[in-house]
Amino acid sequence: MRAPYAIVDGVIGVITMNHGKVNALSKVLLDDIVSAFDSLESSLVRVIILRAEKGAKVYSAGHDVRELPTNGRDPLTYNDPLRQVMRKIDHYPQPVIAMVEGSVWGGACELVLGCDVIIAADDSTFAITPAKLGVPYDVHGTLNLIKVAGMHVLKELMFTAEPVPMKRLADLGVVNHVVPRDELEPFTMKMAHQIAQTSPHVLSVLKEEMRVLANAHPLNPETYERLQALRRDVYDSHDYQEGIRAFLEKRAPIFRGC
Ligand code: LCV
């Protein structure tokens, strides 16, 4: 089990990602996260905490690059395991807190930002990396990031692809709290207990209301298809193949821009 869960004090579900040294978001890890959510949904748990192992240096290294296709297929589509986890968190009827210890990379940034509340250790970092890997990030994922990060912050993170301290994201209101590492767990537990004392019915309705309102972005089919065509130009490109090849060969990519 790469995402075991525990129930604390009868009301807090804690899912701990525990997959190799860097919690790469492989299909097996993501499927286990979905299973943990499914099991907790049938319990009386009022709030979920999604975390890495205590003391983690890396919260998650993002998509498992070894699983990205190199045969001309769209690498990030509706049924991909990360999309399934994102929908699970989005539709989960009670709040989900990301408790972040360590660095967060690529697709794991969307995982964290997709949670309802984010509490991070003060030495944790955040890097949104598609431009470094030559990957066309998917349309829904990009929209998710726009909704929570704010356009200018997101553009800087995406265009530089460099790790930024969580502290900066807290100052910008992108994450809720940054606390010293040794206070992370008690701080998060305290908030989880506060949430657990409120009305579960009201919380589930508020969460659904905010989800629907935040998703009220009409997009006509032609525009959507244009975005998909732009993305296709990327995953059909030299730069996409080169980005993945360079990652596997542990060297810097040489991008041509085509
Ligand atoms: C597979 C990995 C990974 C990994 N996949 O340990 O959003 S997008 O578009 O960018 C999307 C496609 C995406 O999410 O891409 C992934 C973005 N992630 C990154 O760019 C982070 C890549 N990883 C790193 O920079 C380092 O591994 C960190 C800083 C996370 C940890 O460094 P550290 O020195 O502690 P290693 O680099 O030695 O990694 C341990 C093993 O995990 C593999 C890596 O190849 C190595 O494998 P071997 O032991 O077989 O050499 N690994 C790391 N990240 N995303 N595999």
Side-chain angles (χ1 to χ4, degrees), residues 181-209:
R181 229 178 221 251
D182 56 355
E183 290 170 27
L184 181 64
E185 204 165 324
F187 185 98
T188 308
M189 280 296 172
K190 186 173 170 209
M191 187 185 291
H193 277 109
Q194 287 167 339
I195 290 171
Q197 283 160 24
T198 61
S199 158
H201 187 190
V202 174
L203 281 202
S204 66
V205 171
L206 285 174
K207 181 167 170 176
E208 179 63 1
E209 214 177 318

Side-chain angles (χ1 to χ4, degrees), residues 21-25 57-58 60-68 75-76 82 103-109 127-138 240 247-248 250:
K21 185 179 164 194
V22 297
N23 277 332
L25 299 176
K57 202 176 116 206
V58 182
S60 168
H63 281 95
D64 189 326
V65 176
R66 293 167 211 277
E67 291 184 1
L68 293 175
L76 305 170
L82 180 60
S103 54
V104 186
W105 301 85
C109 294
I128 303 187
T129 49
K132 255 195 185 155
L133 278 160
V135 170
Y137 212 70
D138 58 289
Y240 174 73
F247 178 89
L248 298 176
K250 299 181 190 287

